[in-house]
């Protein structure tokens, strides 16, 4: 019986010890264990495999994949990163840019802004097509000029009070419908995902005037088309108390884990520890620093249960070095239209 339990643990759990991790290699292949049929069976896979959505909102998705190997879990992650299409800025037509941000840097920053648009409603732009049409292109205009605030206090040194439009945000981007797009998409549906992403900073007399073309693409071609900021997975934690933990030891045990993992209950006038939600644990292994309690807990992870978390919309950093975005300095005025890739 003990041997059978040891084999089952080896097959189903990755065990975390004080000085190492055991059972890290995949062993479920035919002939590895006597008495186990580990040959691939599609019916058995379809029966055991499931996807449980734990949390989903506009910006993030968390779901569990149960009954698969790490290779398949990683395939899902890579598909989300590189194969799911989105809309992103591809070309920037610069009419005037007198900020200290170079045209190429500005175009690159605009390309990283996530666009709120359903890519399923658009076609891929044909190779070599420079103009674009209403079925494959979204168009945005950005036109901002910084001026002095005539009502600012004379002794003020706050740029927010001294200047008007000295910070260029994504809320300054205006959607310009092409063809019949105004009839197909209600007002407010085509826009940047966040309206407070800082694009550049200006000083009085400086101006940004440009036109953006957004097209459909996938992350395999360019990271700006990736629909996720991060895509990660981890194995489900499995925490087992090998013996009852009572009294002050129960409180001490709860402090060794992330909040919510260990719950202390009152049972017949005694404080008793129990595992409440192992999913919340980050496996800091703080428990192994406690000489009294490290032998009463087994830390493991379920080998075929993956917790997947995706931040659905990749966003450009909100906090940037102001010296790279504008400020005191003299911009170079150029006339004419300049075409830069996003």
């Amino acid at each position: 019986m003990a041997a059978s339990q040891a084999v089952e643990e080896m097959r189903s759990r990755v065990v975390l010890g004080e000085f190492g991790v055991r059972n890290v290699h995949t062993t479920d292949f035919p002939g590895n264990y006597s008495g186990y049929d580990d040959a691939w069976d599609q019916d058995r896979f379809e029966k055991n495999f499931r996807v449980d959505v734990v949390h989903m909102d506009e910006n993030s998705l968390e779901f569990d994949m149960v009954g698969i190997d790490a290779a398949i879990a990683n395939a899902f992650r890579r598909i989300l990163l590189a194969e799911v299409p989105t809309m992103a800025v591809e070309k920037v037509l610069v009419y005037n840019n007198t900020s200290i941000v170079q045209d190429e840097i500005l175009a690159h920053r605009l390309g990283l802004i996530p666009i709120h648009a359903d890519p399923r409603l658009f076609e891929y732009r044909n190779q070599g097509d420079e103009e674009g049409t209403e079925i494959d292109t979204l168009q945005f205009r950005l036109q901002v000029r910084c001026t002095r605030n005539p009502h600012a206090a004379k002794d003020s040194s706050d740029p927010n009070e001294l200047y008007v439009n000295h910070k260029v945000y994504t809320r300054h981007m205006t959607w310009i419908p092409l063809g019949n797009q105004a009839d197909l998409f209600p007002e407010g549906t085509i826009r940047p995902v966040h309206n407070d992403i800082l694009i550049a900073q200006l000083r009085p007399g400086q101006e940004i005037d440009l036109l953006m073309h957004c097209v459909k693409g996938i992350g395999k071609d360019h990271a700006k088309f990736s629909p996720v900021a991060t895509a990660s997975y981890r194995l489900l934690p499995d925490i087992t108390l090998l013996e009852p933990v009572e009294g002050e030891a129960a409180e001490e045990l709860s402090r060794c884990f992330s909040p919510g993992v260990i719950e202390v209950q009152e049972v017949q006038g005694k404080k008793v520890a129990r595992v409440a939600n192992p999913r919340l644990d980050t496996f800091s292994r703080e428990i192994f620093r406690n000489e009294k309690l490290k032998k009463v807990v087994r830390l493991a992870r379920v080998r075929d249960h993956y917790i997947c978390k995706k931040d659905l919309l990749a966003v450009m950093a909100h906090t940037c070095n102001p010296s790279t975005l504008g400020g005191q300095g003299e911009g170079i005025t150029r006339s004419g239209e300049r075409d830069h890739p996003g």
Side-chain angles (χ1 to χ4, degrees):
M1 176 65 81
S4 177
Q5 290 179 348
V7 171
E8 189 58 35
E9 178 184 280
M10 189 179 300
R11 286 165 49 84
S12 63
R13 296 292 187 271
V14 177
V15 181
L16 284 77
E18 184 176 3
F19 301 108
V21 184
R22 305 195 307 272
N23 309 336
V24 296
H25 300 292
T26 299
T27 59
D28 55 344
F29 49 85
N32 194 59
Y33 298 107
S34 176
Y36 289 91
D37 178 19
D38 287 321
W40 167 260
D41 183 84
Q42 182 173 346
D43 293 335
R44 182 171 57 191
F45 173 79
E46 293 178 356
K47 179 181 178 181
N48 294 332
F49 177 64
R50 74 176 194 271
V51 177
D52 302 326
V53 177
V54 177
H55 172 77
M56 180 172 62
D57 57 31
E58 291 184 353
N59 296 320
S60 64
L61 171 66
E62 183 176 344
F63 60 93
D64 291 1
M65 290 193 294
V66 184
I68 59 172
D69 187 73
I72 300 178
N74 192 50
F76 276 93
R77 185 187 68 86
R78 294 179 67 91
I79 289 171
L80 286 169
L81 285 170
E83 301 289 345
V84 178
T86 63
M87 304 293 289
V89 174
E90 177 68 12
K91 285 191 175 295
V92 179
L93 307 176
V94 181
Y95 299 112
N96 191 15
N97 175 24
T98 56
S99 72
I100 70 167
V101 183
Q102 296 92 337
D103 294 348
E104 293 79 4
I105 302 300
L106 182 60
H108 181 265
R109 291 181 63 79
L110 294 171
L112 296 177
I113 295 174
I115 304 300
H116 188 280
D118 190 344
R120 295 171 296 182
L121 304 178
F122 296 88
E123 302 293 337
Y124 288 100
R125 181 184 284 192
N126 294 326
Q127 189 74 19
D129 187 359
E130 297 294 334
E131 295 299 325
T133 64
E134 66 270 15
I135 66 171
D136 59 22
T137 303
L138 288 172
Q139 188 170 263
F140 286 89
R141 184 70 181 265
L142 180 62
Q143 188 173 15
V144 181
R145 181 178 179 85
C146 179
T147 59
R148 292 188 180 275
N149 181 10
H151 305 293
K154 293 183 178 180
D155 58 346
S156 175
S157 60
D158 182 8
N160 294 315
E161 185 179 353
L162 288 173
Y163 311 128
V164 177
N165 289 333
H166 76 289
K167 290 186 177 181
V168 182
Y169 290 101
T170 45
R171 58 172 168 266
H172 294 116
M173 294 171 54
T174 304
W175 173 49
I176 309 297
L178 297 175
N180 64 342
Q181 288 182 348
D183 300 325
L184 296 175
F185 305 109
E187 185 178 354
T189 57
I190 304 298
R191 54 179 173 78
V193 173
H194 304 283
N195 63 6
D196 60 346
I197 299 176
L198 182 63
I199 299 175
Q201 294 190 54
L202 305 176
R203 285 299 180 262
Q206 295 182 344
E207 179 183 8
I208 292 178
D209 184 7
L210 52 84
L211 196 67
M212 292 165 274
H213 286 177
C214 304
V215 301
K216 183 177 179 178
I218 57 175
K220 184 169 61 175
D221 296 331
H222 196 290
K224 67 185 178 184
F225 291 112
S226 180
V228 293
T230 57
S232 62
Y233 59 82
R234 61 189 178 98
L235 292 173
L236 177 70
D238 179 38
I239 302 173
T240 306
L241 299 182
L242 303 178
E243 61 184 63
V245 180
E246 301 175 346
E248 292 302 320
E251 296 284 358
E252 192 174 354
L253 179 67
S254 68
R255 292 193 293 268
C256 292
F257 292 90
S258 302
V261 176
I262 301 296
E263 182 181 61
V264 179
Q265 296 179 327
E266 288 282 346
V267 178
Q268 297 180 352
K270 293 183 179 180
K271 294 181 178 179
V272 179
R274 77 172 188 91
V275 180
N277 190 356
R279 183 189 188 91
L280 301 176
D281 194 38
T282 59
F283 272 6
S284 64
R285 296 196 279 187
E286 176 72 17
I287 186 66
F288 293 122
R289 300 177 64 182
N290 192 306
E291 294 295 332
K292 296 183 296 182
L293 297 175
K294 65 181 182 181
K295 296 182 180 180
V296 303
V297 179
R298 188 197 70 161
L299 303 183
R301 291 187 182 271
V302 182
R303 184 186 292 276
D304 64 347
H305 191 136
Y306 290 86
I307 300 173
C308 304
K309 187 173 183 180
K310 322 294 178 185
D311 293 325
L312 297 180
L313 298 168
V315 296
M316 186 169 61
H318 282 57
T319 56
C320 306
N321 185 351
S323 64
T324 66
L325 299 178
Q328 298 296 342
E330 184 177 349
I332 301 176
T333 303
R334 304 173 186 171
S335 61
E337 178 182 293
R338 301 183 298 285
D339 183 358
H340 293 282

